[in-house]
Amino acid sequence: QVQLVESGGGLVQAGDSLRLSCAVSGRTFSSYGMGWFRQAPGKEREFVATINWTADNTYHANSVKGRFTISRDNAKNTVYLQMNSLKPEDTAVYYCAAKASPLISTRQREYNYWGQGTQVTVAS
């Protein structure tokens, strides 16, 4: 059984930074491709960032490129999302997801496991 637990969300001001963490249970974490997604109120869940199993390939949504960075520490079974220069439009519930394939993906349907989400609120 694979479990994902996000942490690090909160209420911040525009321009501030946050780092989200996602702790993953399971001995095969290092072989998973990982992703971050978000869902704003009244909107569909959308892709944010993805990283492959060796952390040498990442991809970020255009809306966050240059401000957010996904990373992972396989020794700690943890994936991170560093969020800088936050904007009010970044307000959403952020979800961590894992896929059995080790490659990156922007497609939600390719992810097998999901966390419960962590709220990020950015005040203007």
Side-chain angles (χ1 to χ4, degrees):
Q1 184 75 9
V2 177
Q3 291 186 321
L4 289 75
V5 179
E6 301 98 334
S7 62
L11 171 63
V12 297
Q13 298 295 314
D16 286 350
S17 298
L18 275 177
R19 188 176 79 157
L20 304 183
S21 299
C22 174
V24 183
S25 65
R27 291 176 292 177
T28 56
F29 169 77
S30 61
S31 67
Y32 295 154
M34 299 296 298
W36 285 97
F37 295 81
R38 68 185 182 185
Q39 186 167 22
K43 295 187 177 181
E44 293 186 352
R45 189 163 59 188
E46 65 176 5
F47 165 77
V48 176
T50 180
I51 188 167
N52 71 336
W53 69 301
T54 52
D56 59 359
N57 192 14
T58 63
Y59 184 76
H60 298 77
N62 287 337
S63 58
V64 306
K65 201 167 292 184
R67 299 188 298 121
F68 292 11
T69 303
I70 188 172
S71 63
R72 67 190 294 164
D73 185 336
N74 287 342
K76 295 182 178 179
N77 279 20
T78 302
V79 63
Y80 304 97
L81 186 68
Q82 178 66 44
M83 305 187 295
N84 298 329
S85 302
L86 282 160
K87 304 175 181 180
E89 51 263 43
D90 294 319
T91 295
V93 176
Y94 283 72
Y95 297 92
C96 172
K99 53 195 294 290
S101 165
L103 305 178
I104 63 171
S105 176
T106 64
R107 300 185 180 92
Q108 297 185 48
R109 63 177 181 271
E110 294 189 10
Y111 288 82
N112 308 97
Y113 309 101
W114 292 82
Q116 81 290 348
T118 185
Q119 177 71 47
V120 172
T121 303
V122 185
S124 57

